[in-house]
Amino acid sequence: MDGTFSWKRVALALFLAVVVATGCSKKQTVKSDGAGGDASGPAAAAPAGSGAGEVKESPVKESKASDASASPVMTAKAAEAAAGAAVTEEKASRFADIRFDFDKAILLDDGKKTSQEVAGFMKKNPQAKVLIEGHCDERGTAEYNLALGERRAAAVKGYLASLGVAKGALSTVSFGKERPLDPGHSEDAWSKNRRAHFVLK
């Protein structure tokens, strides 16, 4: 009995050792699969094919991004051209600027005198055309100043028309406060920026 019992104990011990060894090897396999799944699992599933395809797609996305960054530039240029900025860069004029009081679009005596000089020139040169730019000082919102600049340019245009200048020879544009003649922040600078500027075309 004792010999049989000890043989059974040895056999049971060997069986348990085999079970434990098998269990340990399975745990190691699971750990190795889990570690590779996060970083290289998809690559392991398709090591050469899909991995290489993803690398090739990245440059395509980058080139699209650079195209997108160019679009706002083009949009800004188009908007500037639509506003007449490309045509109306501040150029020296043969006529003096007409200045306006703060928040006003009414021609003063100096403005009427300058307008008469412009009207005289236009009558002697019927082929000439003039663009009247309306400008404002930096105070107020951009929207308000664009509207005020347009009223100033329109006031000059209306006065020139009343002096006999053909309306077809006159055009207007407003830059609001976007193109100050004097970049200062004083009353003197503001008085220079509240103006109508003439551009002969």
PDB file of all heavy atoms in Angstrom, residues 97-114:
ATOM      1  N   ASP A  97      -6.522 117.268 -50.748  1.00  0.00           N
ATOM      2  CA  ASP A  97      -7.587 116.504 -50.089  1.00  0.00           C
ATOM      3  C   ASP A  97      -8.626 117.465 -49.521  1.00  0.00           C
ATOM      4  O   ASP A  97      -8.307 118.591 -49.119  1.00  0.00           O
ATOM      5  CB  ASP A  97      -7.009 115.664 -48.943  1.00  0.00           C
ATOM      6  CG  ASP A  97      -6.223 114.453 -49.445  1.00  0.00           C
ATOM      7  OD1 ASP A  97      -6.255 114.165 -50.660  1.00  0.00           O
ATOM      8  OD2 ASP A  97      -5.585 113.804 -48.601  1.00  0.00           O
ATOM      9  N   ILE A  98      -9.848 116.999 -49.499  1.00  0.00           N
ATOM     10  CA  ILE A  98     -10.918 117.764 -48.858  1.00  0.00           C
ATOM     11  C   ILE A  98     -11.097 117.213 -47.446  1.00  0.00           C
ATOM     12  O   ILE A  98     -11.309 116.006 -47.275  1.00  0.00           O
ATOM     13  CB  ILE A  98     -12.231 117.647 -49.652  1.00  0.00           C
ATOM     14  CG1 ILE A  98     -12.066 118.339 -51.005  1.00  0.00           C
ATOM     15  CG2 ILE A  98     -13.396 118.239 -48.874  1.00  0.00           C
ATOM     16  CD1 ILE A  98     -13.290 118.214 -51.894  1.00  0.00           C
ATOM     17  N   ARG A  99     -11.004 118.062 -46.466  1.00  0.00           N
ATOM     18  CA  ARG A  99     -11.113 117.613 -45.069  1.00  0.00           C
ATOM     19  C   ARG A  99     -12.520 117.840 -44.523  1.00  0.00           C
ATOM     20  O   ARG A  99     -13.232 118.755 -44.974  1.00  0.00           O
ATOM     21  CB  ARG A  99     -10.078 118.322 -44.206  1.00  0.00           C
ATOM     22  CG  ARG A  99      -8.641 117.949 -44.588  1.00  0.00           C
ATOM     23  CD  ARG A  99      -7.657 118.468 -43.580  1.00  0.00           C
ATOM     24  NE  ARG A  99      -6.280 118.191 -43.980  1.00  0.00           N
ATOM     25  CZ  ARG A  99      -5.226 118.480 -43.256  1.00  0.00           C
ATOM     26  NH1 ARG A  99      -5.349 119.079 -42.071  1.00  0.00           N
ATOM     27  NH2 ARG A  99      -4.009 118.210 -43.673  1.00  0.00           N
ATOM     28  N   PHE A 100     -12.859 117.045 -43.567  1.00  0.00           N
ATOM     29  CA  PHE A 100     -14.193 117.094 -42.976  1.00  0.00           C
ATOM     30  C   PHE A 100     -14.088 117.246 -41.461  1.00  0.00           C
ATOM     31  O   PHE A 100     -13.089 116.835 -40.852  1.00  0.00           O
ATOM     32  CB  PHE A 100     -14.965 115.809 -43.300  1.00  0.00           C
ATOM     33  CG  PHE A 100     -15.309 115.659 -44.754  1.00  0.00           C
ATOM     34  CD1 PHE A 100     -14.399 115.084 -45.641  1.00  0.00           C
ATOM     35  CD2 PHE A 100     -16.526 116.097 -45.245  1.00  0.00           C
ATOM     36  CE1 PHE A 100     -14.704 114.944 -46.981  1.00  0.00           C
ATOM     37  CE2 PHE A 100     -16.848 115.970 -46.588  1.00  0.00           C
ATOM     38  CZ  PHE A 100     -15.926 115.381 -47.467  1.00  0.00           C
ATOM     39  N   ASP A 101     -15.140 117.818 -40.885  1.00  0.00           N
ATOM     40  CA  ASP A 101     -15.229 117.875 -39.428  1.00  0.00           C
ATOM     41  C   ASP A 101     -15.504 116.480 -38.890  1.00  0.00           C
ATOM     42  O   ASP A 101     -15.942 115.571 -39.608  1.00  0.00           O
ATOM     43  CB  ASP A 101     -16.357 118.831 -38.990  1.00  0.00           C
ATOM     44  CG  ASP A 101     -15.952 120.299 -39.154  1.00  0.00           C
ATOM     45  OD1 ASP A 101     -14.727 120.576 -39.238  1.00  0.00           O
ATOM     46  OD2 ASP A 101     -16.859 121.154 -39.221  1.00  0.00           O
ATOM     47  N   PHE A 102     -15.280 116.334 -37.590  1.00  0.00           N
ATOM     48  CA  PHE A 102     -15.497 115.044 -36.934  1.00  0.00           C
ATOM     49  C   PHE A 102     -16.932 114.565 -37.128  1.00  0.00           C
ATOM     50  O   PHE A 102     -17.885 115.322 -36.871  1.00  0.00           O
ATOM     51  CB  PHE A 102     -15.188 115.171 -35.436  1.00  0.00           C
ATOM     52  CG  PHE A 102     -15.554 113.943 -34.640  1.00  0.00           C
ATOM     53  CD1 PHE A 102     -14.857 112.751 -34.811  1.00  0.00           C
ATOM     54  CD2 PHE A 102     -16.603 113.981 -33.735  1.00  0.00           C
ATOM     55  CE1 PHE A 102     -15.196 111.619 -34.084  1.00  0.00           C
ATOM     56  CE2 PHE A 102     -16.946 112.851 -33.010  1.00  0.00           C
ATOM     57  CZ  PHE A 102     -16.240 111.662 -33.177  1.00  0.00           C
ATOM     58  N   ASP A 103     -17.075 113.346 -37.614  1.00  0.00           N
ATOM     59  CA  ASP A 103     -18.364 112.682 -37.774  1.00  0.00           C
ATOM     60  C   ASP A 103     -19.298 113.417 -38.747  1.00  0.00           C
ATOM     61  O   ASP A 103     -20.510 113.285 -38.662  1.00  0.00           O
ATOM     62  CB  ASP A 103     -19.055 112.525 -36.412  1.00  0.00           C
ATOM     63  CG  ASP A 103     -20.079 111.405 -36.421  1.00  0.00           C
ATOM     64  OD1 ASP A 103     -19.917 110.448 -37.201  1.00  0.00           O
ATOM     65  OD2 ASP A 103     -21.050 111.491 -35.644  1.00  0.00           O
ATOM     66  N   LYS A 104     -18.732 114.199 -39.661  1.00  0.00           N
ATOM     67  CA  LYS A 104     -19.541 114.948 -40.634  1.00  0.00           C
ATOM     68  C   LYS A 104     -19.180 114.551 -42.054  1.00  0.00           C
ATOM     69  O   LYS A 104     -18.064 114.093 -42.320  1.00  0.00           O
ATOM     70  CB  LYS A 104     -19.328 116.455 -40.459  1.00  0.00           C
ATOM     71  CG  LYS A 104     -19.668 116.988 -39.078  1.00  0.00           C
ATOM     72  CD  LYS A 104     -21.152 116.906 -38.775  1.00  0.00           C
ATOM     73  CE  LYS A 104     -21.480 117.521 -37.414  1.00  0.00           C
ATOM     74  NZ  LYS A 104     -22.903 117.345 -37.035  1.00  0.00           N
ATOM     75  N   ALA A 105     -20.118 114.784 -42.952  1.00  0.00           N
ATOM     76  CA  ALA A 105     -19.880 114.539 -44.376  1.00  0.00           C
ATOM     77  C   ALA A 105     -20.359 115.754 -45.173  1.00  0.00           C
ATOM     78  O   ALA A 105     -20.881 115.628 -46.276  1.00  0.00           O
ATOM     79  CB  ALA A 105     -20.606 113.274 -44.812  1.00  0.00           C
ATOM     80  N   ILE A 106     -20.163 116.940 -44.588  1.00  0.00           N
ATOM     81  CA  ILE A 106     -20.607 118.183 -45.223  1.00  0.00           C
ATOM     82  C   ILE A 106     -19.382 118.948 -45.724  1.00  0.00           C
ATOM     83  O   ILE A 106     -18.406 119.127 -44.967  1.00  0.00           O
ATOM     84  CB  ILE A 106     -21.393 119.054 -44.222  1.00  0.00           C
ATOM     85  CG1 ILE A 106     -22.630 118.285 -43.738  1.00  0.00           C
ATOM     86  CG2 ILE A 106     -21.791 120.390 -44.846  1.00  0.00           C
ATOM     87  CD1 ILE A 106     -23.356 118.963 -42.583  1.00  0.00           C
ATOM     88  N   LEU A 107     -19.421 119.386 -46.978  1.00  0.00           N
ATOM     89  CA  LEU A 107     -18.293 120.133 -47.520  1.00  0.00           C
ATOM     90  C   LEU A 107     -18.207 121.507 -46.864  1.00  0.00           C
ATOM     91  O   LEU A 107     -19.204 122.247 -46.813  1.00  0.00           O
ATOM     92  CB  LEU A 107     -18.429 120.295 -49.035  1.00  0.00           C
ATOM     93  CG  LEU A 107     -17.807 119.192 -49.894  1.00  0.00           C
ATOM     94  CD1 LEU A 107     -18.605 117.903 -49.796  1.00  0.00           C
ATOM     95  CD2 LEU A 107     -17.683 119.654 -51.345  1.00  0.00           C
ATOM     96  N   LEU A 108     -17.022 121.881 -46.408  1.00  0.00           N
ATOM     97  CA  LEU A 108     -16.761 123.219 -45.885  1.00  0.00           C
ATOM     98  C   LEU A 108     -16.302 124.103 -47.045  1.00  0.00           C
ATOM     99  O   LEU A 108     -16.187 123.650 -48.191  1.00  0.00           O
ATOM    100  CB  LEU A 108     -15.702 123.134 -44.784  1.00  0.00           C
ATOM    101  CG  LEU A 108     -16.053 122.180 -43.611  1.00  0.00           C
ATOM    102  CD1 LEU A 108     -14.885 122.080 -42.633  1.00  0.00           C
ATOM    103  CD2 LEU A 108     -17.316 122.661 -42.884  1.00  0.00           C
ATOM    104  N   ASP A 109     -16.034 125.360 -46.752  1.00  0.00           N
ATOM    105  CA  ASP A 109     -15.656 126.295 -47.823  1.00  0.00           C
ATOM    106  C   ASP A 109     -14.391 125.832 -48.540  1.00  0.00           C
ATOM    107  O   ASP A 109     -14.301 125.927 -49.767  1.00  0.00           O
ATOM    108  CB  ASP A 109     -15.453 127.701 -47.232  1.00  0.00           C
ATOM    109  CG  ASP A 109     -16.781 128.333 -46.800  1.00  0.00           C
ATOM    110  OD1 ASP A 109     -17.846 127.841 -47.273  1.00  0.00           O
ATOM    111  OD2 ASP A 109     -16.761 129.285 -46.002  1.00  0.00           O
ATOM    112  N   ASP A 110     -13.406 125.370 -47.791  1.00  0.00           N
ATOM    113  CA  ASP A 110     -12.179 124.876 -48.430  1.00  0.00           C
ATOM    114  C   ASP A 110     -12.483 123.697 -49.355  1.00  0.00           C
ATOM    115  O   ASP A 110     -11.906 123.588 -50.436  1.00  0.00           O
ATOM    116  CB  ASP A 110     -11.167 124.443 -47.359  1.00  0.00           C
ATOM    117  CG  ASP A 110     -10.552 125.628 -46.620  1.00  0.00           C
ATOM    118  OD1 ASP A 110     -10.746 126.779 -47.087  1.00  0.00           O
ATOM    119  OD2 ASP A 110      -9.903 125.404 -45.586  1.00  0.00           O
ATOM    120  N   GLY A 111     -13.374 122.847 -48.927  1.00  0.00           N
ATOM    121  CA  GLY A 111     -13.735 121.684 -49.734  1.00  0.00           C
ATOM    122  C   GLY A 111     -14.454 122.090 -51.012  1.00  0.00           C
ATOM    123  O   GLY A 111     -14.227 121.500 -52.077  1.00  0.00           O
ATOM    124  N   LYS A 112     -15.293 123.088 -50.911  1.00  0.00           N
ATOM    125  CA  LYS A 112     -16.004 123.556 -52.114  1.00  0.00           C
ATOM    126  C   LYS A 112     -15.025 124.205 -53.095  1.00  0.00           C
ATOM    127  O   LYS A 112     -15.130 124.016 -54.316  1.00  0.00           O
ATOM    128  CB  LYS A 112     -17.086 124.555 -51.709  1.00  0.00           C
ATOM    129  CG  LYS A 112     -18.244 123.911 -50.952  1.00  0.00           C
ATOM    130  CD  LYS A 112     -19.288 124.943 -50.548  1.00  0.00           C
ATOM    131  CE  LYS A 112     -20.456 124.283 -49.807  1.00  0.00           C
ATOM    132  NZ  LYS A 112     -21.469 125.282 -49.339  1.00  0.00           N
ATOM    133  N   LYS A 113     -14.046 124.945 -52.545  1.00  0.00           N
ATOM    134  CA  LYS A 113     -13.060 125.596 -53.413  1.00  0.00           C
ATOM    135  C   LYS A 113     -12.240 124.538 -54.162  1.00  0.00           C
ATOM    136  O   LYS A 113     -12.014 124.643 -55.372  1.00  0.00           O
ATOM    137  CB  LYS A 113     -12.133 126.475 -52.570  1.00  0.00           C
ATOM    138  CG  LYS A 113     -11.116 127.241 -53.386  1.00  0.00           C
ATOM    139  CD  LYS A 113     -10.265 128.145 -52.486  1.00  0.00           C
ATOM    140  CE  LYS A 113      -9.223 128.906 -53.315  1.00  0.00           C
ATOM    141  NZ  LYS A 113      -8.362 129.765 -52.459  1.00  0.00           N
ATOM    142  N   THR A 114     -11.801 123.502 -53.468  1.00  0.00           N
ATOM    143  CA  THR A 114     -11.050 122.416 -54.119  1.00  0.00           C
ATOM    144  C   THR A 114     -11.922 121.719 -55.154  1.00  0.00           C
ATOM    145  O   THR A 114     -11.461 121.382 -56.253  1.00  0.00           O
ATOM    146  CB  THR A 114     -10.565 121.401 -53.067  1.00  0.00           C
ATOM    147  OG1 THR A 114      -9.713 122.054 -52.132  1.00  0.00           O
ATOM    148  CG2 THR A 114      -9.807 120.270 -53.714  1.00  0.00           C
TER     149      THR A 114
END
